[in-house]
Every structure is written in structure tokens, then in C-alpha cells.
Amino acid sequence: MVEESGGLSGNKDNKGNGVDDENFPEKVQVGSSPVYKVEKKLGKGGFGQVFLGRRVSGGTERGPGATEVALKFEHRNSKGCTYGPPNEWQVYNAVGGIYGVPRVHYKGKQGEYYVMVMDMLGPSLWDVWNSSAQSMSTDMVGCIAIESLSILEKMHAKGFIHGDVKPENFLLGQRSTDQEKKLFLVDLGLATKWRDNAKAQHVEYDQRPDIFRGTVRYASVHAHLGRTASRRDDLESLAYTLLFLHRGRLPWQGYQGDNKSFLVCKKKMSTSPEMLCCFCPAPLKLFLEMVVNMKFDEEPNYAKLISLFDGMIGLDPTIRPLNTEGAQKAIQIGQKRGRLNLEEDDEQPKKKIRNGIPATQWISIYNARLPMKQRYHYNVTDARLAQHVEKGSEDGLFISCVSSCTNLWAVIMDAGTSFTTQAYEVSPFFLHKEWIMEQWERNHYITALAGAANGSSLVVMSKGTAYSQQSYKVSDSFPFKWINKKWKEGFHVTSMATSGTRWAVVMSRNAGYSHQVVELDFLYPSEGVHKRWDGGYRITCTAATSDQTALVLSIPRRKPGDETQETLRTSQFPSVQVKVCC
């Protein structure tokens, strides 16, 4: 049986909300709330829609008895209500009413909808920016930075991250009221916990490249890559929000199509803070540099981040375009204590977590094990490959690993395999399906794989493995959804290779692993690898295109005697560093 763009050896959606119902009730009453008449639509989000609600009789200016309120409707069949009331309800129960987050006065279900009755607010920062010739003053952006950091600090202190920081989700208070210069953060539909309250510790790191949460324009790189959200992601999204409001445009705007998120993430990774902030005030560049290099579980130094923007705002709080009361309660803004904060804990330079470009370096994996005979060859042409392999075979060695660079091959042969026989083929195809299926019939399984930039491939198939079934897929993008499907069927990734921008992934049954994960990045995922190592995983497979690198890490069913593993990144084949025992 052969799968599309791949093969299978013998033995072998996001649908949106799914809601088109626009029949909203004319009047609303939930719980013990007054009766509200549903008037004009104020906005629409990924999960619900917000309307102006006007109290039928009586009322006050603000609070539970307000004459005007915001009514948020979410259909019971929406993806946010799969298991009952929206997740947003639970988040508002925990953070509603803290500084900068509006209160939910009533909530309940009416007909087909879950309804929240909330404080009525004013325009969003996007509305303000758009109505001001799509520009904002430096003073205004500085105030937004300070106040939004204060709000996020208080939300994070409650154990939650917002998950969708953007100009549309920051609202000012109602116009012509004493709230009109206050900033509020709304729409908590994508909020998640960064702290496991039961264990009183940070949630565990993970990566699911098929899952994206947020808004493409402002999402953090980690969100694009499907990593577990943490406090750093809110701050990176805030940096892009501030830059958008100041610059009026971000370099990754305009991408379209199914791979929009991929292209935007790639552009974010390749655009340096210097380039992105070249016409911006220095504090924006400093802020961006600090937040994009935060570790997954790092606690932000909010006071330090706030102090960066001291020089962008006026000294007199009464004439600032935005209220900065939140920051003033914690620290005194505008009193030149920023330099002191900036110099704290800066004695040693912070190691950047984004480094190394895929396919411009060799990534070598070293495992500690008993001494054995091992041999390597690199810069091998197609014509010389047979000579090296035959010599190794005469010495009792089998190919254990292959790779390619500039259409030349690198081959490692050693005596530590359990193989009994081996076959290999250099083919102009990526991959040669007929030959592979022929070898499957002979009970040979793919044990090593490499692809060249010119589209050719080197496939090594061996007999004597523990594999009982094998499947492979060739794809124009990293096939994580297919991998995830195969994991559920009992397969594990055992080989990977790339050719140009194309990926080939081989998965096998009875591979000897109890669990497996993927680290996918546009750069070398140093932090992710170390997190996985700490969890007992070891790198068992890796490949890279010019854009992306993918590392597969596995937990073996049988615990190895020595679990030590190291990685080495070099600009050329690491012939000097390779440990050889002949």
C-alpha cells in the first residue's frame, strides 16, 4: 500500500466556529441582570461578537447598573464553547476587575448564546491610530508601553497570559468621562495559564507545530512555531504592537495564502531589531531585544522594562495623553531611575536563544557509548561512494548515518549496528519509491537517508533492525500533521532528510521509543533542545532546509547505560572534532 507522496511497507480540521446564525435576541437578561435592549454591533472577534446594550429602564453611569453596557455573545456551537461556557468566563472570574481589565457584571445563557454583560468602553488603539492619519506621537506610544506593561504585569501575577496582545484588544475608557484616558485590555478568549496552581510552578514546555494561537501580524515567533505560551509571548506581541503604532506598518504585512503564517514567522526571525527599529526611538529597540531573548520560564523584570520608556514621555503626569497610574503605583515614572534599573544584573551578557542559520552549518550529535570501530568520509562524490562503502564492508562496518552538503555526501560507518545486510542507492529522485518498495519486500528497512540540493537522494536500507513496518512521506513543507497521525498509529520517526525545500520523513513501528517530540525552528532551537534533554529526551533524528531545522527527540523504552549527549554546530564538516576509534 502506497501513501500519497510517500509509501507504506507491508503489514501494515479547523472548521472555524461553524456558526452562521446571526439571529441575536432583541433583548437580553441573564442571571440577575436588568433587561437590556441589543443595539448596534461594536466589534467581532475570533470567538464572539460584541453589541451595545442599553438598559430598558433606570440605570447609572457605570457599574452593574449602568445604562449602557457591552454585551458579548458567543454561540453555543462555537469552537470556544465545545465543553460548555466559554473559557473566557473562567479567565474573567480570575482577573476581571484587576487594574486595566474591565469587569464582567453578569453572565449567563440566553437561547443559543452565552452572554457576558461588561463595562462599556471607548475606542481601541487601532481606532485611535487609524483616525489619527495612521500615526501616533512618541509620547503616546511611550505611555501605551508603560501602561500596557503595568496591565500585563498584574494579569501575569494572577497566573494568566493574554495570548492575543494587539492594538484592537487595547481599549480606552468611554469618551467624555473620567475614564477616557485610561487603558484597558479586553478579549480574553485566548488567555491561558502560565502557572500550574496545583503544583505552584511554571507549566511545562512543549511544541506542537500544527497549532497556532493569536493574530499572525503580532504573534510571537514561539506562537508561530506552536510552543507552549508563556509570559515572554505577551511581551513580544506588545513589542510588535508598539512598533506598528509608531511606524504605521510592519515588514511582514501583506503576505497571503495558506503559508502566510510560515512566511510571516520567517520574516520576523530574519528581521533584526536594528533593521526593524531603525527609525524608532531607542527604547523600542532595547525592549524588543530584551523580550525576544527571554527564556520560556523567565520571570520578566517589569520595572526594568517600564523604565526603558521614561525618556519617551513627559514628566508631568497630568498632561500625558494617557493615564500611567498603574506604573506610578508601583514605581515613580519620570524620575531618571531608568539607568539604575538597566544596569542591574547586566554584569554578564545574556546568551541569545535565537542563533544559527539552518543549512549554513553542520549540526553533529554525539552519544556516549562503549568504544567501537567507526569511520567517516565527507565531500564524497557519487562516483567515489561505492569505493568507501565497499572498504568499510570488508572491515565489518555498516552505514549508520548519511548527510549531504553542496551535492556531496558525508557517510559514517561503524561496527555498533545490529545490521546483517545492507543496500543503498543514489537516485536522481527524492525519493525512488519503486526501489524502496523492492527492498521492503526483501525485509530491508530505511535506516539512513540524505537528500542533495540538486534533487537526488541517498537511501540506505538494512536488514537486522527491530522494525516491523515502515512508512514515509515526501512533502513541500514539514509534515507534522502526518507525523502526529502516525504517532497515534504506533509509528516513530526514524530518519529524515531534505532536498532543497522538500522534506522526507521515515516512520517505523517497533522503533524502541516510548515517546517522541519534534523541535521545529527557523534557527537552531537551543532552548527547546535543553528543555527536552532535561525531560529525558535524546536527539534521534535531525534535518534542515535553508529556512528551517527540525530535530526529533525520543525517550527510549530501555534506559541506556550512559545518557550523555552533546551537539556541535560548525561551519564545515566537523572532521577535527569527530572522535574516531579505528
Side-chain angles (χ1 to χ4, degrees), residues 83-111:
Y83 303 105
N87 169 68
E88 189 172 21
W89 284 21
Q90 309 305 318
V91 181
Y92 269 113
N93 284 343
V95 306
I98 66 171
Y99 186 84
V101 177
R103 289 187 181 276
V104 174
H105 300 295
Y106 308 99
K107 57 182 181 291
K109 189 177 180 184
Q110 180 166 322

Side-chain angles (χ1 to χ4, degrees), residues 347-420:
E347 294 179 5
Q348 293 188 6
K350 187 173 179 179
K351 183 180 179 181
K352 294 186 177 182
I353 63 170
R354 295 182 185 174
N355 47 30
I357 308 298
T360 62
Q361 57 184 346
W362 287 84
I363 302 175
S364 309
I365 316 298
Y366 298 88
N367 298 296
R369 55 183 176 179
L370 294 173
M372 64 175 182
K373 183 182 290 186
Q374 190 175 64
R375 185 176 300 162
Y376 69 87
H377 307 279
Y378 64 100
N379 290 342
V380 179
T381 62
D382 294 353
R384 295 288 301 273
L385 183 62
Q387 174 185 338
H388 292 305
V389 173
E390 288 171 11
K391 179 67 171 73
S393 298
E394 291 173 4
D395 295 336
L397 306 180
F398 288 93
I399 300 171
S400 58
C401 184
V402 293
S403 188
S404 175
C405 181
T406 60
N407 299 322
L408 298 173
W409 307 108
V411 180
I412 293 180
M413 303 185 71
D414 66 52
T417 70
S418 59
F419 308 147
T420 54

